[in-house]
Amino acid sequence: MADITPAEIDRLYEKLDKEAASAGYNLNPEKAMTRELLNGLLMNQQRYGYPSCPCRLASGKKEADLDIICPCDYRDPDLEDFGACYCSLYVSKGVAEGKEKARSIPERRPSRDKRLKVKEEKKEATISSLPLPVWRCKVCGYLCAREVPPGVCPICKAGKERFERFI
Amino acid sequence: MALNHVAGKNKGKIMLYALSTCGWCKKTKGLLNELGVEYDYTDVDLLKGAEQEAVIKEITKYNPDCNFPTMVINSQKCIIGFKEDDIREALK
């Protein structure tokens, strides 16, 4: 395995920073930590073939790790509850502006045993048994299925308050 | 298991289970180095197959979620995550 070069980290940093800004997200302003995490993402890409969360143990099987490929399934609820995602690559506006500090947070991902169980129990969803509510951006019509609407619409950047429950 | 030993002051038997790619694990190692305590660590992502499974089983005894970093002091006290205050307090 080749070491990751600073230039590779620079390139990923620039790309993710641009994407985050355009979608209403923020990268961790603590640059040394962010570079460390980007190094981990690139390392995992090299090792496993996909950029799984640097702070979680990947299985090496993509199908089993889909939920922890960055940005992970747990990022947005963690941003909502803790102001940072699990590894702290993504942070809330408050943390990005230096009003709060990112910290080590509890793991939201179910344990390996529980994940396997959920997979077995999973049934086909119908409209009347949707696992999540569907939210609609009243500005641009963007739809998303999640517990709460996103802080900022990723399409038109409208605020959370512009969302209505659609289903 | 491939243990990495760091020499320092003896504050009990400190075992750190970490990931080589994890920023919080790196901060935890940095804090232990700053405190100058003696400890062992293993980067679980660098272990393979049966060896990795065995270590996961061992961690699960202390931390059923098996997330990182997990620090075990004297095979009893377990600190999960980079909890700077807790770590400083436990190693006073």
Side-chain angles (χ1 to χ4, degrees):
Chain A
M1 289 271 153
D3 276 347
I4 307 298
T5 64
E8 283 176 274
I9 296 176
D10 289 343
R11 276 199 296 277
L12 183 60
Y13 206 143
E14 200 180 320
K15 175 179 173 275
L16 292 186
D17 200 28
K18 221 180 264 172
E19 281 176 10
S22 79
Y25 292 95
N26 308 280
L27 293 186
N28 192 334
E30 194 190 324
K31 287 216 161 67
M33 181 67 160
T34 301
R35 292 188 72 87
E36 194 61 48
L37 296 168
L38 296 178
N39 182 70
L41 278 180
L42 289 162
M43 204 70 208
N44 284 347
Q45 174 72 46
Q46 198 181 82
R47 265 189 213 158
Y48 309 116
Y50 48 89
S52 59
C53 176
C55 293
R56 291 178 166 116
L57 182 62
S59 69
K61 294 182 197 86
K62 190 172 182 180
E63 203 196 331
D65 290 341
L66 284 176
D67 61 328
I68 55 166
I69 293 179
C70 185
C72 67
D73 285 9
Y74 314 103
R75 175 185 67 173
D76 287 25
D78 279 339
L79 284 174
E80 179 81 19
D81 290 351
F82 303 106
C85 68
Y86 186 67
C87 74
S88 83
L89 179 60
Y90 290 96
V91 299
S92 67
K93 199 162 174 261
V95 173
E97 288 171 353
K99 289 178 197 146
E100 297 153 49
K101 230 176 123 60
R103 57 197 161 89
S104 191
I105 64 169
E107 172 60 298
R108 185 184 293 271
R109 187 188 200 204
S111 65
R112 191 159 58 166
D113 294 350
K114 281 189 200 134
R115 289 200 303 276
L116 291 173
K117 234 187 214 159
V118 166
K119 220 171 179 188
E120 281 165 22
E121 286 168 359
K122 221 175 194 175
K123 292 182 202 122
E124 210 176 308
T126 64
I127 197 90
S128 60
S129 66
L130 290 176
L132 290 169
V134 176
W135 302 92
R136 177 179 178 276
C137 173
K138 285 199 267 190
V139 177
C140 73
Y142 167 72
L143 295 179
C144 56
R146 40 187 276 165
E147 293 293 359
V148 292
V152 176
C153 173
I155 305 301
C156 72
K157 314 289 180 273
K160 188 178 200 157
E161 70 284 358
R162 307 293 292 273
F163 278 75
E164 62 177 357
R165 186 158 172 173
F166 189 60
I167 303 173
Chain B
M1 184 196 352
L3 277 190
N4 302 283
H5 185 75
V6 180
K9 285 176 283 188
N10 183 355
K11 291 276 179 183
K13 190 176 168 295
I14 303 169
M15 180 63 215
L16 177 68
Y17 300 96
L19 299 178
S20 69
T21 51
C22 170
W24 296 118
C25 296
K26 189 149 196 175
K27 281 188 190 253
T28 305
K29 289 173 188 166
L31 178 60
L32 292 177
N33 295 343
E34 181 202 316
L35 294 171
V37 298
E38 178 179 29
Y39 69 100
D40 288 304
Y41 74 89
T42 186
D43 287 324
V44 182
D45 58 321
L46 301 180
L47 305 176
K48 298 232 181 314
E51 194 181 19
Q52 190 186 69
E53 274 305 313
V55 176
I56 290 174
K57 220 170 177 181
E58 196 178 304
I59 300 169
T60 311
K61 278 195 282 182
Y62 301 102
N63 171 11
D65 287 335
C66 192
N67 55 331
F68 301 91
T70 291
M71 186 192 300
V72 180
I73 306 170
N74 293 326
S75 308
Q76 281 178 326
K77 192 175 168 59
C78 174
I79 300 177
I80 301 163
F82 176 62
K83 304 269 166 54
E84 186 170 348
D85 295 344
D86 293 1
I87 296 169
R88 283 184 188 277
E89 181 64 32
L91 301 179
K92 252 206 269 190

